[in-house]
Amino acid sequence: MTKDRNGDFGKRDVYFYELENRQTIKLNFREWTVSALTIPFKYRFKDRDAGISEEFTTDFNANLFVGRTFYGKTSFFYRKDVGNISNTYKWTGGLLIGASTVTLNASNTSSANIPLDSDTEIVKGLGTIGLGLSFSYNKINLGGFIGWDYSVGDDAEKWNYNKEPWIGFALGYSLFKF
């Protein structure tokens, strides 16, 4: 909160630009952002020592991305009788947390001491943490991330990719900003 000249909290000075017809102004900014993202494409690395092959997955997951915009710009274009048109783009780096599921089976538990039988499938919950970089145009987000999935529950350690790194591509929509 800021104090104004009289010592009152919450009041701020207001600045504005008055644009002529077809005039544009661009303003730089930095901000904290919270976005909902899904990472539909994940690449999981091969581990020759453990006998784990690489894997490319296309699963649904829900993630929350909290980040700091280090480069942002908003442009305002004024047209008489139409008003302002504004566009915002920004680069944001931050932390990803999320949740999804995985179906354990014989192929993705092959490196476990006791892998699952070929006719057995178990659905497990996953918790995700990661770091990434996001580009946003207005409220649409695209990003690249590196992260780790943690399977939870009984037999969770059997999953070949439990606590192993992955890289992924994200799609999202900005919920709000601070």
Side-chain angles (χ1 to χ4, degrees), residues 2 5 11-18 25 27 76:
T2 59
R5 288 179 216 119
K11 295 182 180 179
R12 295 183 180 194
D13 292 330
V14 176
Y15 300 95
F16 64 93
Y17 290 96
E18 190 170 322
I25 188 167
L27 304 172
F76 297 94

Side-chain angles (χ1 to χ4, degrees), residues 77-99:
F77 177 66
Y78 176 73
R79 290 189 336 199
K80 186 177 177 184
D81 299 327
V82 175
N84 282 327
I85 297 172
S86 66
N87 289 302
T88 299
Y89 60 92
K90 61 185 177 179
W91 288 95
T92 305
L95 177 68
L96 175 84
I97 55 173

